[in-house]
Amino acid sequence: MTLDEVTALAAWMTWKCAVAHIPFGGGKGGVICDPSKMSKREIEALTRRYIAEIVDAIGPRRTSPLPTSTRTNRSWRG
């Protein structure tokens, strides 16, 4: 996924929420990696670190990070 694609997804989500009168923005973020080349432990460590870095920006009155359709179905939870 490129920066342009992330920017487009954020803009699209902003418009969808505005049209539906849902009080959420369209922020997007991510990590560049190839999860097919990572172990479950590496994916878990990456996920935990990512959340640790954005923890001040997420919450019930802020935003909720949700996966996009391009997210891998592989789960480190097992």
Side-chain angles (χ1 to χ4, degrees):
M1 181 167 276
T2 68
L3 179 59
D4 287 341
E5 290 171 319
V6 172
T7 303
L9 284 171
W12 178 243
M13 183 57 72
T14 299
W15 280 102
K16 286 195 310 186
C17 289
V19 167
H21 302 288
I22 300 171
F24 296 112
K28 294 288 180 185
V31 177
I32 297 173
C33 67
D34 184 351
S36 68
K37 295 181 179 178
M38 298 170 70
S39 69
K40 285 185 177 185
R41 182 153 169 65
E42 290 171 321
I43 293 171
E44 178 180 355
L46 179 72
T47 302
R48 290 181 184 278
R49 178 58 188 257
Y50 181 74
I51 295 300
E53 293 294 327
I54 66 169
V55 72
D56 292 334
I58 61 176
R61 297 201 177 266
R62 294 186 178 164
T63 189
S64 299
L66 301 170
T68 64
S69 60
T70 58
R71 178 184 138 326
T72 179
N73 288 327
R74 184 174 166 191
S75 173
W76 58 266
R77 289 189 155 214

